[in-house]
């Protein structure tokens, strides 16, 4: 049965991925501009209004704009679910991934509300960011799965390299988690009265840097291993791109630390964290292929024309 798509799932999935990365950036903007309590309550923006008011100034506009982006994410997620359900034949994995993205968005909104109601508790703020990382993982999986066939996954590299990549993925997640802890100890709290997590910034920053060096070493080892086993070019390219992102992110991290955390560099570092995670996911998905198993109909040979009977000669 030929595949029929009533809505284009793949571009919708890509839009969902890009929008969730954008949410990380706008969330950083809320914190870095001191607008975390621009709307001082939730789900309303004030006790009387669901929207920002002129008295709340630019901080209210920034915080309310970040809240509005959640509705855009929800709209795209609903479109992805509808597109996955309307596909013929319907792919169960695509439907489940689209539903996962959709369900996590209201959860993300609720955690965002809790951050406001707890006056920007740094641990809740960190959880708010980590949920975005989970949504990005589901959105990326949906985007990649929307272009795959229905066959069994075919490994493109030996099993030991798969193990190395999974270790690299765990370390990548640890780098992001430690970055959240570093952020919770730093000066950009989202509001002048917001509390910090009480940890020593220099100590947690050093722990974060140590795990970053481990991630860089694992990525370099992966590139050499992939070249040694003559892995597909796309797999090697994904690992090289990840290394470039890591190096750029590490450079931004060092510069921001020694220049006392300027706002623009911190925002770029937040974007870099989302890109490091996306690059890690790209490496994971490049390790195997899933071909299409829909049989292709063989061309029909035309039947030979019937031989004409000879016409008897007249007597």
């Amino acid at each position: 049965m030929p595949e029929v798509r009533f809505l284009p799932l793949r571009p919708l999935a890509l839009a969902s991925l890009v929008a969730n990365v954008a949410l990380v950036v706008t969330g950083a903007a809320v914190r870095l501009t001191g607008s975390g309590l621009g709307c001082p309550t939730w789900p309303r923006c004030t006790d009387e209004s669901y929207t920002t008011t002129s008295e709340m100034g630019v901080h209210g506009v920034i915080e309310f704009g970040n809240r509005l982006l959640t509705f855009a994410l929800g709209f795209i997620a609903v479109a992805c679910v509808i597109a996955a359900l309307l596909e013929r034949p319907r792919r169960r994995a695509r439907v489940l991934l689209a539903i996962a993205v959709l369900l996590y968005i209201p959860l993300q909104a609720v955690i965002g509300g809790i951050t406001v109601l707890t006056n920007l508790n740094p641990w809740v703020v960190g959880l708010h960011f980590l949920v975005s990382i989970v949504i990005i993982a589901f959105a990326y999986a949906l985007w990649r799965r929307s272009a795959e066939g229905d066959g069994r996954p075919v490994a493109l590299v030996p099993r030991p390299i798969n193990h190395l990549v999974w270790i690299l993925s765990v370390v990548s997640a640890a780098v992001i988690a430690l970055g959240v802890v570093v952020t919770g100890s730093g000066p950009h709290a989202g509001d002048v009265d917001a509390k910090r997590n009480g940890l020593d910034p220099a100590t947690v920053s050093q722990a974060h840097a140590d795990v970053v060096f481990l991630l860089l070493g694992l990525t370099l080892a992966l590139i050499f291993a992939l070249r040694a086993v003559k892995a597909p070019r796309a797999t090697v390219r994904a690992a090289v791109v990840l290394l470039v992102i890591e190096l750029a992110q590490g450079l931004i991290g060092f510069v921001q630390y020694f220049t006392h955390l300027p706002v623009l560099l911190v925002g770029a570092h937040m974007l870099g964290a989302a890109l490091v995670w996306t690059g890690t996911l790209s490496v994971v998905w490049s390790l195997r292929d899933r071909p299409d198993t829909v049989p292709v109909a063989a061309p029909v040979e035309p039947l030979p024309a019937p031989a004409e009977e000879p016409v008897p000669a007249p007597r």
Side-chain angles (χ1 to χ4, degrees):
M1 177 182 178
E3 182 175 351
V4 178
R5 295 187 179 186
F6 299 94
L7 280 176
L9 176 59
R10 185 164 173 77
L12 286 172
L14 179 59
S16 178
L17 174 61
V18 172
N20 279 286
V21 172
L23 183 65
V24 171
V25 178
T26 60
V30 170
R31 183 170 57 82
L32 296 171
T33 58
S35 305
L37 296 178
C39 288
T41 188
W42 188 87
R44 295 175 183 262
C45 196
T46 69
D47 291 334
E48 294 80 21
S49 173
Y50 281 99
T51 62
T52 184
T53 62
S54 58
E55 292 80 6
M56 300 169 70
V58 66
H59 294 307
V61 173
I62 294 173
E63 165 65 7
F64 183 67
N66 188 58
R67 293 188 183 189
L68 286 180
L69 184 57
T70 301
F71 290 98
L73 293 177
F75 177 80
I76 298 172
V78 169
C80 287
V81 172
I82 294 173
L85 289 172
L86 291 179
E87 282 188 327
R88 294 295 182 271
R90 183 182 299 164
R91 270 73 171 192
R92 182 171 176 268
R94 299 178 188 178
V95 174
L96 292 177
L97 287 170
I99 291 175
V101 173
L102 177 60
L103 292 180
Y104 264 94
I105 289 174
L107 173 63
Q108 174 76 308
V110 170
I111 296 175
I114 295 174
T115 64
V116 173
L117 298 177
T118 58
N119 294 318
L120 307 181
N121 180 289
W123 299 107
V124 182
V125 173
L127 177 62
H128 193 43
F129 173 77
L130 292 177
V131 171
S132 285
I133 294 299
V134 174
I135 299 176
I136 287 172
F138 281 122
Y140 186 88
L142 177 62
W143 177 61
R144 292 295 294 261
R145 192 69 180 88
S146 64
E148 292 183 333
D150 298 321
R152 290 181 176 274
V154 177
L156 301 177
V157 296
R159 181 169 294 183
I161 291 184
N162 279 277
H163 296 161
L164 174 59
V165 170
W166 284 112
I167 294 172
L168 183 149
S169 301
V170 171
V171 173
S172 179
V175 166
I176 294 172
L178 281 171
V180 169
V181 177
V182 173
T183 298
S185 69
H188 299 296
D191 188 80
V192 293
D193 297 323
K195 294 181 179 180
R196 302 284 71 205
N197 59 24
L199 300 176
D200 178 51
T203 302
V204 292
S205 294
Q206 183 61 57
H208 178 60
D210 291 341
V211 183
V212 168
F213 283 123
L214 176 59
L215 179 62
L216 286 168
L218 288 171
T219 307
L220 275 171
L222 174 63
I223 292 172
F224 285 119
L226 291 173
R227 292 188 179 278
V229 299
K230 295 181 171 55
R233 183 176 301 177
T235 306
V236 178
R237 183 171 60 247
V240 171
V241 169
L242 175 60
L243 178 63
V244 171
I245 296 172
E246 290 169 353
L247 290 172
Q249 175 75 334
L251 178 62
I252 294 172
F254 275 109
V255 173
Q256 72 167 8
Y257 181 80
F258 289 108
T259 55
H260 307 291
L261 304 175
V263 168
L264 289 178
L265 283 181
V266 175
H269 202 55
M270 294 288 290
L271 172 61
L275 295 180
V276 166
W277 183 237
T278 305
T280 303
L281 296 172
S282 176
V283 171
V284 172
W285 280 82
S286 71
L287 300 179
R288 53 89 166 134
D289 186 25
R290 190 186 291 267
D292 203 333
T293 59
V294 177
V296 179
V300 178
E301 294 289 341
L303 295 176
E308 296 183 0
E309 296 184 2
V311 180
R315 295 182 179 177

